[in-house]
Amino acid sequence: MKNFPKVFVPSYNRQDGLKVVDLLEGIPFTVLLHNEEQLKMYRQNYPKVDFVVTNIPTGYHAMIRTRNFVYDNLVNDGEWFIFLDDNNYMITRVDDSHYGFQTLDVKSDKKFQDVYSKKCTLKEISSLILGDISIAERTGVRHIGFAPNANYFFRPKKYRNIGYSKGNATITKKDGLRWDENLRSMDDYSFSVQQLVTYGKVLINYYICFHKKHYTPGGIGTYDSRLPMKLFDTGYLMKKYEGLLRYSVKKGMHPQSDLTFRITNMNSFKKWRTNYLRNAKA
């Protein structure tokens, strides 16, 4: 499609179930693989898909280095590009009759569950994606994300400028900021904060949601296999960005394995950012 960003899909050991392909009909995309052995397996089931072999070892840092491989080698300066997870299986959006509103009174009527549940493909929301990029260009944003939670009850406001850009679907402008390779796996949290610190805001569209099942085999692993990496990363981020984040305790999970934003108000964030940048220069 003319003027639509390049789409990249990192993948590993999911040669039998590249679910995101069903959402990309009519959109050119490239699947990123670690090695030639993986390429042989994937091509058996997806002979028409465009693949690029990165030769990046699997394990710690693999996803982050894959993102930086794309950034360094496959996109141009000033170019917008899209990352999608290979196990995204559905996209939903707010329906046409409500999409133009900046806020919706989701607590007033259970009908909003249907309002937020219009299924679509990436091509079907391509004009909305381009619209978000236009907003980002006008407002100095270089990183765009989508609703991190599918529950409509927590998505009354269309756009937010502070928060977590969930890594299963992001749009980024190449503008000199690479992913932090000190991290082992939580690159989406890290890069959201990097963008906020560097540019003062991100753009998160809460009216569009990309759905995936977390911690499924393949990819970067199940919860248990990823836990050591997550604990390292949460500790690193809590220390590096002290005061901005806090631990997010979830049932059945290690109490220090996930994060959320402590600060979500723009004025409070500006104060935190000013102090952070001042201390960084000291």
Side-chain angles (χ1 to χ4, degrees), residues 53-67:
V53 174
T54 66
N55 291 312
I56 294 170
T58 59
Y60 288 1
H61 314 289
M63 177 60 82
I64 297 167
R65 289 172 180 168
T66 297
R67 295 192 191 280

Side-chain angles (χ1 to χ4, degrees), residues 232-247:
F232 175 89
D233 288 350
T234 57
Y236 172 84
L237 292 169
M238 286 284 285
K239 182 176 180 180
K240 183 169 184 177
Y241 302 108
E242 185 177 356
L244 180 62
L245 306 169
R246 63 176 175 82
Y247 290 114

Side-chain angles (χ1 to χ4, degrees), residues 6-11 30-36 50-57 61-77 79 81-83 172 174 177-181 187 191:
K6 295 173 184 174
V7 177
F8 299 99
V9 180
S11 190
T30 300
V31 175
L32 304 152
L33 302 175
H34 289 279
N35 52 54
E36 295 290 337
D50 180 29
F51 294 102
V52 169
V53 174
T54 66
N55 291 312
I56 294 170
H61 314 289
M63 177 60 82
I64 297 167
R65 289 172 180 168
T66 297
R67 295 192 191 280
N68 281 333
F69 176 91
V70 170
Y71 193 89
D72 295 339
N73 299 287
L74 302 180
V75 293
N76 300 315
D77 291 341
E79 183 178 1
F81 59 101
I82 296 174
F83 273 123
T172 305
K174 183 173 179 177
L177 187 63
R178 300 171 80 251
W179 278 257
D180 183 354
E181 293 193 9
D187 53 279
F191 200 62

